[in-house]
Amino acid sequence: MNPTTESAAPLAPPPNAPEKHRRRRVHRAWIVAAVTFVTIIGGAAFNSLPGLLFDPLQDEFGWSRGQIGLAVSVDMALYGLTAPFAAALMDRFGIRRVVAVALSAVAAGALASVWMTAAWQLMLYWGVLVGLGTGSMALAFSATVTNRWFVARRGLVTGVLTAAGASGQLVFLPLCAWIVDRHGWRPASVTVALAALVVVPFVWLLMRDHPADVGLAPYGGAYAEKPAPARGAAGRAVRVLFDAARTGPFWLLAGSFAICGASTNGLIRTHFVPSAHDHHMPITAAASLLAVIGIFDIIGTVFSGWLTDRFDARRLLAVYYALRGVSLLFLPFLMQATVEPPMVFFIVFYGLDWVATVPPTLALCREQYGEDSAIVFGWVLASHQVGAALVAFLGGVARDTFGTYDVVWYAAGALCGVAALMALVIRRVRGAAGAAVPAG
């Protein structure tokens, strides 16, 4: 076997490995990663929608921004709290089954919202159904795929898969903004439902749970038999949480990532468009700015994955959070009815930093918690979404109370400074080189 065709190192499968160990131009791991990328895009389509609908829902139903923000916060909280159990369920039932069901839940929630008439239905459809569905395809999904299919290039693959959410934003934000502006919010919700359903066949036909299913070694690693399905998935997720919670690094990672979620999904993704609209910026222009964030998010996240393979993840996190905090302090001065160069600079800068925090955070989880790292990262992601949920709700309440979002921008900027300090004090595991996986 030519070692360069199946893995990044000259590693042969055992003699009894299946005959599928033949030459391939592209290792199957990259195909699985591509399907994962498309799946995350389809599942993330809904995340482009809530920020566009504050004004239409308020105009049609008379709901306050606090009420709408509460529904978004339920979605974000369940997104995060589902993630660690989803990682364990993937161990038990397989990636394909869990993800197919999750995509169906997202589609059902988005479609059912077309007929809602009360605020509690908004919380049920957007909050519960979509939250459970998107949570099952959260970054713990990326972590599971990366851990099973890759040994080399894990940092890079993590960055690429993390950028998939931004890619979905790039595709769907301008489209949904145009649909809402021309045809109303209901056709936009139907579009999101269809986007989730279209991905299901790709998952079922092309996704595989483990390299051994197709007789391969993981990319850059040695062939290993597929482990037996893990039982007691929920119990395992809880046990891993209790074990990790006894360690200081877990709380530092969870706390800093909560601030990350508060300053991205909870703040910018949820409240940037309505805040810009408060300053008389057209909704399509504001949505286009968020889409530009998506472009530079992809670049920044992939580059962050490359950096994470080479530099101390703690220092990378500190730099990312500090720069993000400074940029938020300037944002209130940039809001205008038209898009000016300083706002464009903010959007580009914030996009580069948006989820650049994910590859080093995941690398630190691997370094600290080994085989349980995917589930631990699921709980760290839960804290990310709890932080996002709180700001999604409190940001709406602050706008209802003060008539402006300025206090929210300032508070988030200060919190990012705290996150930078938390990252710096995470202890290093003895013998760790600072990078998640050596570049191979």
Side-chain angles (χ1 to χ4, degrees), residues 206-231:
L206 299 177
M207 177 65 69
R208 293 296 181 268
D209 294 331
H210 193 276
D213 289 342
V214 287
L216 295 177
Y219 183 80
Y223 180 86
E225 295 292 340
K226 182 179 179 179
R231 298 186 180 276

Side-chain angles (χ1 to χ4, degrees), residues 336-400:
Q336 298 183 41
T338 57
V339 179
E340 302 294 335
M343 175 61 83
V344 174
F345 178 82
F346 170 85
I347 291 296
V348 171
F349 181 85
Y350 213 82
L352 291 172
D353 191 82
W354 183 272
V355 285
T357 56
V358 172
T361 300
L362 183 51
L364 288 170
C365 285
R366 287 198 199 101
E367 177 186 307
Q368 299 283 339
Y369 302 105
E371 293 182 356
D372 290 329
S373 62
I375 296 177
V376 171
F377 182 70
W379 287 112
V380 171
L381 177 62
S383 71
H384 180 282
Q385 293 306 112
V386 169
L390 287 173
V391 172
F393 171 60
L394 294 176
V397 172
R399 170 59 177 78
D400 291 336

Side-chain angles (χ1 to χ4, degrees), residues 54 58 63-73 266-267 270-272 274-275 278 388-405 407-409:
F54 272 73
Q58 192 171 31
W63 300 334
S64 70
R65 296 200 185 190
Q67 285 178 297
I68 300 170
L70 179 60
V72 178
S73 73
L267 186 61
T270 305
H271 293 292
F272 179 83
S275 177
D278 283 348
L390 287 173
V391 172
F393 171 60
L394 294 176
V397 172
R399 170 59 177 78
D400 291 336
T401 303
F402 301 108
T404 178
Y405 282 103
V407 65
V408 184
W409 307 128

Side-chain angles (χ1 to χ4, degrees), residues 32-90:
V32 171
V35 174
T36 304
F37 188 91
V38 173
T39 301
I40 295 172
I41 288 177
F46 178 84
N47 293 330
S48 304
L49 199 57
L52 303 176
L53 302 190
F54 272 73
D55 289 312
L57 293 178
Q58 192 171 31
D59 292 342
E60 179 171 341
F61 299 108
W63 300 334
S64 70
R65 296 200 185 190
Q67 285 178 297
I68 300 170
L70 179 60
V72 178
S73 73
V74 170
D75 164 60
M76 291 182 174
L78 284 177
Y79 175 102
L81 294 172
T82 302
F85 295 100
L89 286 172
M90 287 176 190

Side-chain angles (χ1 to χ4, degrees), residues 113-340:
S113 68
V114 171
W115 294 282
M116 67 184 176
T117 57
W120 68 266
Q121 293 171 323
L122 179 69
M123 282 182 274
L124 175 62
Y125 303 147
W126 279 19
V128 177
L129 278 177
V130 174
L132 291 173
T134 54
S136 298
M137 296 176 294
L139 292 174
F141 169 38
S142 302
T144 301
V145 170
T146 303
N147 288 349
R148 290 186 185 183
W149 282 91
F150 291 87
V151 174
R153 306 299 184 189
R154 278 180 173 172
L156 176 63
V157 174
T158 299
V160 171
L161 294 183
T162 301
S167 300
Q169 177 175 292
L170 172 63
V171 171
F172 288 100
L173 254 174
L175 174 62
C176 289
W178 180 84
I179 293 173
V180 170
D181 188 52
R182 298 293 182 90
H183 304 288
W185 65 270
R186 287 181 174 85
S189 191
V190 172
T191 300
V192 168
L194 293 176
L197 287 176
V198 163
V199 182
V200 174
F202 290 93
V203 172
W204 199 255
L205 295 174
L206 299 177
M207 177 65 69
R208 293 296 181 268
D209 294 331
H210 193 276
D213 289 342
V214 287
L216 295 177
Y219 183 80
Y223 180 86
E225 295 292 340
K226 182 179 179 179
R231 298 186 180 276
R236 182 188 173 199
V238 173
R239 286 194 301 273
V240 169
L241 171 62
F242 283 137
D243 290 342
R246 297 189 182 99
T247 66
F250 173 80
W251 294 105
L252 293 169
L253 287 167
S256 59
F257 219 41
I259 294 172
C260 178
S263 57
T264 53
N265 292 352
L267 186 61
I268 298 295
R269 178 172 287 167
T270 305
H271 293 292
F272 179 83
V273 171
S275 177
H277 195 58
D278 283 348
H279 291 80
H280 309 293
M281 183 181 292
I283 187 173
T284 50
S288 296
L289 288 175
L290 278 186
V292 172
I293 283 182
I295 296 174
F296 289 93
D297 184 355
I298 297 169
I299 298 170
T301 308
V302 173
F303 184 55
S304 177
W306 184 86
L307 290 174
T308 301
D309 283 333
R310 290 159 174 80
F311 298 101
D312 187 342
R314 301 169 308 149
R315 294 180 181 178
L316 290 176
L317 282 178
V319 171
Y320 296 157
Y321 285 128
L323 292 176
R324 182 184 300 180
V326 171
S327 67
L328 284 172
L329 297 178
F330 285 97
L331 183 56
F333 304 102
L334 306 180
M335 290 288 187
Q336 298 183 41
T338 57
V339 179
E340 302 294 335

